[in-house]
């Protein structure tokens, strides 16, 4: 009798587990992983105007930290890396419209974006800094001092730089532009007082074009984790991405990319 009861219980458990197992198989089949492997290509969306993460060199090729990260990911999946250059403000809609498979574009993981798409674990932590016109040197020592209508503060439209400006410097006269270089040139040429943006980008503009015309408040005043964006409802791909990031951060590949693009400025000769 005990054996019969145990057998019936085992059968009931198996019957309950079957639908769940079938659902798991169907979910796996719908994963981006399956699509990428079948296609033999990993399409990576980014905006090639964000040095040193993604940019175009003198020969028209895409280079940068994120580009190398995408290439390593494609290599790990055994597929071809396909870059898809897209305006940043259209990045999320393009992912949802299946224009590419993932976003690797210096995108900050925000709660607003996370309601629309999924994100991997952060692969780098950044923050907002301020590139200031040289006429304010010795007078402006903190972003808080720019919180006045007499100061023209700018950032790129649709970015966390814009969000940070409106949140932390709400009284400043705010203007936005579609490209980072236009923002930097406004400050360099004295048409704006300050440019709020990510630390590495502001460092590049300060070193390349604004040496004597600007100075940098290089202490980040926000916490911004950058992560890989993917479509929601894909736990298998999310698991793969997080394990990939964990692997490269512990086998030396991540460190080499970080040294190449963020600790050195040798790459600048490729874009000049």
């Amino acid at each position: 009798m005990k054996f019969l009861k145990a057998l019936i219980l085992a059968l009931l458990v198996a019957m309950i587990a079957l639908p769940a197992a079938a659902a798991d198989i169907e979910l796996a089949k719908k994963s981006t992983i399956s699509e990428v492997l079948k296609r033999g290509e990993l399409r990576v969306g980014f905006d090639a105007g964000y040095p040193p993460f993604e940019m175009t060199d003198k020969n028209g090729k895409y280079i940068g930290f994120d580009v190398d990260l995408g290439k390593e990911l494609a290599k790990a999946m055994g597929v071809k890396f396909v870059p898809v250059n897209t305006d940043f403000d259209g990045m999320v809609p393009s992912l949802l419209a299946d224009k590419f498979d993932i976003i690797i574009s210096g995108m900050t993981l925000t709660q607003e974006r996370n309601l629309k798409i999924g994100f991997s674990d952060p692969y780098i932590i950044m923050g907002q800094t301020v590139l200031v016109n040289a006429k304010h040197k010795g007078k402006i020592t903190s972003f808080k001092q720019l919180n006045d209508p007499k100061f023209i503060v700018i950032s790129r439209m649709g970015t966390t730089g814009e969000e940070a400006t409106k949140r932390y410097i709400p009284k400043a006269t705010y203007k936005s532009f579609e490209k980072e270089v236009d923002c930097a040139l406004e400050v360099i040429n004295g048409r704006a007082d300050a440019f709020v943006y990510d630390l590495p980008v502001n460092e590049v503009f300060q070193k390349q074009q604004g040496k004597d015309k600007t100075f940098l408040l290089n202490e980040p005043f926000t916490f911004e984790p950058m992560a890989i964006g993917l479509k929601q409802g894909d736990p298998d791909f999310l698991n793969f991405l997080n394990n990939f990031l964990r692997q490269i951060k512990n086998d030396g590949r991540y460190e080499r990319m970080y040294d190449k693009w963020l600790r050195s400025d040798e790459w600048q000769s490729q874009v000049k």
Side-chain angles (χ1 to χ4, degrees):
M1 182 64 72
K2 288 183 179 179
F3 174 77
L4 183 60
K5 287 181 178 179
L7 181 60
I8 292 172
L9 180 61
L11 288 171
L12 287 171
V13 170
M15 290 172 66
I16 293 170
L18 279 173
D24 287 345
I25 292 171
E26 287 304 311
L27 184 63
K29 287 180 180 178
K30 294 177 182 177
S31 173
T32 300
I33 291 177
S34 298
E35 297 174 13
V36 169
L37 294 179
K38 188 183 300 182
R39 192 190 315 121
E41 296 178 342
L42 177 68
R43 302 169 302 168
V44 179
F46 62 92
D47 184 344
Y50 185 53
F53 288 91
E54 42 264 334
M55 52 203 154
T56 306
D57 70 9
K58 291 183 289 189
N59 299 315
K61 294 178 63 178
Y62 298 122
I63 61 171
F65 183 96
D66 286 343
V67 176
D68 281 3
L69 183 62
K71 288 179 178 178
E72 285 294 332
L73 178 57
K75 184 179 179 181
M77 299 183 78
V79 297
K80 180 182 177 182
F81 169 74
V82 178
V84 184
N85 191 17
T86 305
D87 283 340
F88 193 83
D89 56 358
M91 199 70 66
V92 170
S94 293
L95 173 67
L96 298 177
D98 200 35
K99 297 291 179 64
F100 38 76
D101 304 303
I102 55 171
I103 296 171
I104 308 181
S105 190
M107 180 171 280
T108 302
L109 194 173
T110 67
Q111 279 63 61
E112 182 182 4
R113 288 173 181 154
N114 210 177
L115 290 172
K116 299 174 183 176
I117 64 174
F119 281 98
S120 70
D121 291 338
Y123 61 85
I124 198 167
I125 304 297
M126 286 293 165
Q128 296 302 308
T129 57
V130 190
L131 184 69
V132 189
N133 186 273
K135 66 184 178 184
H136 300 298
K137 197 169 183 68
K139 304 172 187 175
I140 300 295
T141 57
S142 167
F143 73 93
K144 296 178 182 179
Q145 293 171 282
L146 295 165
N147 195 31
D148 189 304
K150 70 181 181 180
F151 294 116
I152 297 174
V153 180
I154 58 179
S155 191
R156 180 172 178 176
M157 188 184 304
T159 65
T160 51
E162 181 174 67
E163 292 175 11
T165 304
K166 292 180 178 180
R167 180 178 179 182
Y168 295 102
I169 321 174
K171 294 180 182 178
T173 300
Y174 178 69
K175 292 183 179 180
S176 63
F177 291 85
E178 293 186 355
K179 296 294 180 183
E180 288 91 348
V181 65
D182 295 328
C183 295
L185 289 175
E186 287 294 297
V187 176
I188 291 169
N189 294 327
R191 292 188 293 267
D193 297 290
F195 172 32
V196 174
Y197 214 61
D198 299 330
L199 174 60
V201 178
N202 271 341
E203 284 183 326
V204 169
F205 283 128
Q206 209 281 322
K207 290 177 182 177
Q208 284 187 345
Q209 303 178 51
K211 291 179 181 178
D212 301 320
K213 299 177 181 179
T214 65
F215 65 95
L216 182 62
L217 301 179
N218 62 359
E219 185 69 32
F221 64 91
T222 62
F223 170 78
E224 298 186 20
M226 293 181 179
I228 299 173
L230 68 156
K231 293 173 186 173
Q232 292 179 337
D234 195 345
D236 291 329
F237 196 28
L238 178 62
N239 176 64
F240 183 88
L241 291 173
N242 286 337
N243 285 329
F244 163 76
L245 291 173
R246 191 175 298 112
Q247 179 69 40
I248 66 168
K249 284 185 175 182
N250 286 280
D251 66 13
R253 283 179 288 171
Y254 181 89
E255 193 70 14
R256 287 193 291 273
M257 287 190 294
Y258 197 98
D259 287 343
K260 177 182 178 181
W261 299 108
L262 296 168
R263 292 197 178 107
S264 170
D265 60 2
E266 291 183 9
W267 57 265
Q268 292 183 17
S269 62
Q270 299 179 56
V271 297
K272 287 183 178 178

